[in-house]
Amino acid sequence: MQLNATSINIIGGGVGGLTCALAFVKRGARVCVFEKAKAFKAVGAGIQITPNAMRVFREFGLSQSLMKAGVISDAVVPMNGLSGRRITRFGLTGQRPRYLFIHRAKLMDFLVEACISRGVELKFGSETKGLNTYGEVIYQEGGTQKTAKADITVFADGLHSLGRGIVSSAPPAFFTNQVAWRAIIPGEMPPEAHIVMGPGRHVVLYPLGDNQINLVAVQERESWAAEGWSHADDPANLQAAFADFHPSYKMLIDSVKEPFLWGLFRHEIAQNWYKERAVLLGDAAHPTLPFLAQGANMAIEDAYVLAKCCGEYADYDQAFATYQSLRQPRVECAIAAANSNARNYHLSGLQRRAAHIGLKTLGAVAPNAFLSRLSWLYDHDVTLDA
């Protein structure tokens, strides 16, 4: 069913919000995106677009262009951070669609261009303050408070979502005793994701093209750090945390000049994803830890399913309830898998040795086991029966 008479306000112009705009406009809706930033700056880190999310872009007719903007991944390679040796290699070349690495700024430019070409209205520099009793978005633009009415308001406004407080409630997040640094460093490497593991720590490395490597380094520690990628840190702290890693990795870590530090907190999934004409999407509903590379990918899936449900049901309550019932079990599985990886990457002592032997054996006798184990994730196609 088309949504030609339906108007959609989307709060948040990130990956989930812009994908949501594309999903709704594809079904004929009139879409406006409110983003508090005046413009997207060419900053940020890398992002991994996995096959399950790539199918959404394929449905939009955008996958081929998107693949040209990033680096197609050939493998996931677990590494021993202390010895510098490769544990095994799990190939990804048999996966269709392919697995993609891309700079977040490139992805945002790509999505903005796609939205503009399809008639989405983008309101940059518009900070949302809330919803009034009429369901209108209250926003600040150029020092003036304004309102905008729509049939549906989608809150795709991320981890610290304004909409989550309007729609639902959740217990406070708690610190996981883990922090992550992110940085982009100059260099070239094979089109692979390297997971470099050490006791209580790990580093993820993958290429972004243009002589850039994305680096995310995670450490278990007691001292608290604030959430969010915008907190600059002293590179000496990052270097000290990985001082005993193999020189080949220490060289990369030591080349980081401007790391950003993020305290990793665990948030409960929102109990309710909708209220009246307002609905949550992505991290606003179900924040996840970055150990499965699925935060953005789950938001991309959400976007497609939400628009699909609104096209299938004229009653918004039924549409939103169906959306939550379809998405919640899947994101719960993704979050559980990410939490499991957080433990497995940081093993020490005999457990670590046994795990590495197990990985090496698995890679030798069952090279497709990695993809088979994640088939529930990567083979999922939310565009079927659209």
Side-chain angles (χ1 to χ4, degrees):
M1 184 174 78
Q2 287 296 93
L3 296 168
N4 296 329
T6 306
S7 55
I8 313 293
N9 282 337
I10 298 174
I11 313 305
V15 174
L18 295 179
T19 305
C20 186
L22 292 172
F24 271 106
V25 82
K26 185 178 188 295
R27 293 179 179 272
R30 292 180 290 109
V31 181
C32 182
V33 178
F34 296 81
E35 169 55 45
K36 66 180 179 180
K38 293 183 178 179
F40 291 118
K41 299 176 183 177
V43 296
I47 188 169
Q48 302 176 55
I49 305 297
T50 49
N52 46 302
M54 192 61 74
R55 291 185 179 90
V56 172
F57 293 122
R58 184 177 64 187
E59 184 71 11
F60 296 158
L62 296 171
S63 60
Q64 291 303 312
S65 298
L66 183 58
M67 299 289 267
K68 293 175 183 177
V71 175
I72 299 172
S73 175
D74 285 346
V76 173
V77 184
M79 304 289 295
N80 185 322
L82 302 183
S83 71
R85 296 192 187 98
R86 188 178 84 178
I87 299 169
T88 191
R89 183 180 187 274
F90 296 112
L92 296 174
T93 54
Q95 187 70 46
R96 293 293 183 275
R98 296 296 299 277
Y99 195 121
L100 186 72
F101 306 136
I102 189 169
H103 195 295
R104 187 177 293 270
K106 272 190 179 181
L107 177 60
M108 295 307 299
D109 287 345
F110 181 89
L111 293 174
V112 166
E113 184 178 330
C115 283
I116 291 172
S117 69
R118 286 160 169 74
V120 175
E121 183 181 1
L122 301 176
K123 284 186 173 292
F124 291 104
S126 300
E127 183 174 1
T128 301
K129 300 296 185 180
L131 296 179
N132 64 21
T133 54
Y134 303 102
E136 297 172 325
V137 171
I138 306 168
Y139 66 100
Q140 196 86 15
E141 185 178 60
T144 303
Q145 185 164 293
K146 301 179 180 181
T147 60
K149 187 169 180 59
D151 296 305
I152 296 170
T153 300
V154 181
F155 284 95
D157 50 346
L159 195 61
H160 302 292
S161 170
L162 172 69
R164 182 167 175 141
I166 294 171
V167 167
S168 188
S169 61
F174 64 90
F175 183 48
T176 63
N177 295 113
Q178 297 179 97
V179 298
W181 291 270
R182 72 160 171 84
I184 291 177
I185 55 178
E188 300 287 348
M189 64 178 290
E192 302 170 342
H194 287 193
I195 304 171
V196 187
M197 298 177 286
R201 295 152 296 158
H202 79 276
V203 177
V204 176
L205 299 160
Y206 56 85
L208 298 174
D210 302 322
N211 194 45
Q212 292 181 320
I213 294 174
N214 190 75
L215 179 149
V216 177
V218 177
Q219 178 197 29
E220 294 178 7
R221 74 182 200 192
E222 294 298 322
S223 56
W224 178 87
E227 268 189 309
W229 281 124
S230 60
H231 308 290
D233 194 33
D234 187 336
N237 295 330
L238 169 60
Q239 293 163 13
F242 294 87
D244 61 344
F245 263 40
H246 188 269
S248 60
Y249 294 114
K250 268 186 56 61
M251 179 181 66
L252 293 173
I253 291 167
D254 290 350
S255 72
V256 174
K257 304 302 182 187
E258 296 180 304
F260 291 86
L261 181 65
W262 177 19
L264 300 180
F265 286 71
R266 191 168 294 169
H267 297 253
E268 298 293 336
I269 296 174
Q271 281 192 327
N272 303 309
W273 293 18
Y274 63 95
K275 182 180 179 181
E276 297 175 354
R277 298 292 181 91
V279 61
L280 305 178
L281 181 147
D283 280 351
H286 48 78
T288 181
L289 294 175
F291 301 128
L292 193 66
Q294 286 300 304
N297 292 288
M298 288 295 106
I300 291 165
E301 287 188 2
D302 282 356
Y304 194 91
V305 174
L306 176 59
K308 175 182 172 183
C309 289
C310 290
E312 289 179 347
Y313 300 101
D315 179 81
Y316 293 129
D317 275 347
Q318 188 175 5
F320 295 160
T322 303
Y323 158 67
Q324 182 172 348
S325 69
L326 289 172
R327 296 300 302 152
Q328 187 163 344
R330 180 158 168 80
V331 299
E332 286 175 349
C333 287
I335 289 169
N339 294 344
S340 177
N341 281 347
R343 294 186 294 272
N344 294 336
Y345 291 165
H346 295 176
L347 297 175
S348 60
L350 291 176
Q351 277 188 318
R352 180 171 183 267
R353 179 172 174 77
H356 288 194
I357 291 172
L359 280 173
K360 187 173 183 177
T361 303
L362 186 67
V365 304
N368 295 321
F370 176 81
L371 287 178
S372 297
R373 189 172 59 186
L374 289 175
S375 62
W376 66 270
L377 180 63
Y378 294 156
D379 292 349
H380 191 73
D381 189 349
V382 295
T383 72
L384 292 178
D385 303 320

